[in-house]
């Protein structure tokens, strides 16, 4: 008796189910692999390739804030501030306490001379990482650029107390 044959629709269904199972089981591995590739490209200063790899990782792991944070950094280096802002906002929507993304988004706004928006992000970066000296400095500089020298001086004084080893902060007061 010959073995039973499987109809074409059932074969297609089996293949489709197998692909879905493969993607579900291995998508995080593939995302991690793309992140690793992106990091390798980054170390070799191949930013376009790194962006492509991290975008693939984002498609596979869309809830991974770190991927969007790295994409924001890469877009900034590539001169695409519009995409950097979108990427950092996505990272912060997934993890609002990500002080690194708060800081980097603040830097994008600061470079665009959007000092009010920059200040908000720098203040959040300080709130989530009180030891981030550079974020403290950027808070003070943002107040200066906004024209509120009294607030800037207050911030420089806070920096002097919090980071007594920072001589540049003392020179600003």
């Amino acid at each position: 008796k010959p073995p039973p044959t499987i109809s074409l629709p059932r074969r297609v269904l089996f293949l489709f189910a197998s692909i879905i199972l493969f993607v579900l089981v291995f998508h995080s591995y593939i995302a991690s692999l793309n992140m690793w590739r992106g990091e390798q490209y980054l170390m070799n200063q191949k930013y376009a390739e790194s962006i492509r790899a991290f975008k693939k990782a984002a498609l596979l792991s869309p809830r991974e804030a770190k991927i969007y944070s790295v994409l924001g950094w890469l877009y900034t280096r590539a001169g695409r501030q519009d995409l950097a802002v979108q990427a950092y906002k996505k990272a912060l929507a997934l993890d609002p306490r990500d002080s690194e993304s708060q800081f980097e988004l603040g830097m994008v706004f600061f470079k665009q001379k959007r000092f009010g928006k920059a200040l908000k992000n720098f203040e959040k970066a300080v709130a989530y990482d009180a030891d981030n000296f550079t974020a403290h400095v950027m808070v003070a500089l943002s107040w200066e650029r906004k024209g509120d020298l009294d607030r800037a001086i207050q911030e420089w004084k806070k920096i002097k107390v919090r980071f007594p080893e920072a001589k540049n902060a003392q020179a600003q007061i």
Side-chain angles (χ1 to χ4, degrees):
K1 187 171 178 182
T5 59
I6 300 173
S7 68
L8 181 61
R10 284 188 178 214
R11 280 190 237 164
V12 170
L13 182 62
F14 178 75
L15 178 63
F16 184 69
S18 298
I19 291 171
I20 289 175
L21 181 62
F22 176 81
V23 168
L24 290 175
V25 171
F26 293 106
H27 85 278
S28 64
Y29 170 75
I30 296 168
S32 296
L33 183 61
N34 276 294
M35 288 174 62
W36 179 82
R37 285 182 182 146
E39 290 167 359
Q40 297 305 306
Y41 288 131
L42 178 59
M43 288 191 301
N44 292 309
Q45 297 181 345
K46 295 181 177 181
Y47 297 123
E49 292 88 345
S50 186
I51 288 170
R52 276 195 294 279
F54 276 98
K55 284 173 70 175
K56 287 179 186 175
L59 288 173
L60 293 166
S61 291
R63 306 225 20 98
E64 183 68 42
K66 187 68 178 169
I67 294 171
Y68 296 100
S69 181
V70 173
L71 274 170
W73 189 88
L74 288 166
Y75 286 135
T76 300
R77 295 329 173 261
R80 295 297 313 266
Q81 278 66 28
D82 56 329
L83 294 175
V85 168
Q86 289 176 14
Y88 284 129
K89 284 183 176 181
K90 177 71 174 178
L92 292 169
L94 294 169
D95 182 7
R97 299 182 63 86
D98 177 3
S99 65
E100 185 179 323
S101 291
Q102 292 286 1
F103 176 81
E104 292 295 340
L105 181 56
M107 289 301 294
V108 172
F109 289 142
F110 192 87
K111 290 174 186 172
Q112 294 175 338
K113 299 183 182 349
R114 297 165 70 185
F115 302 118
K117 286 187 175 240
L119 179 61
K120 287 179 184 176
N121 288 102
F122 292 139
E123 286 177 332
K124 288 179 183 177
V126 166
Y128 301 136
D129 181 5
D131 294 328
N132 186 336
F133 172 76
T134 309
H136 282 277
V137 169
M138 294 310 297
V139 168
L141 289 174
S142 295
W143 282 116
E144 282 183 20
R145 298 303 190 282
K146 284 179 56 96
D148 193 335
L149 297 182
D150 291 334
R151 287 295 298 268
I153 290 170
Q154 287 176 10
E155 292 300 324
W156 287 117
K157 286 180 180 177
K158 287 180 191 176
I159 293 168
K160 182 179 175 182
V161 170
R162 178 119 174 94
F163 304 96
E165 70 280 3
K167 297 188 184 354
N168 287 342
Q170 294 176 13
Q172 292 290 329
I173 300 172

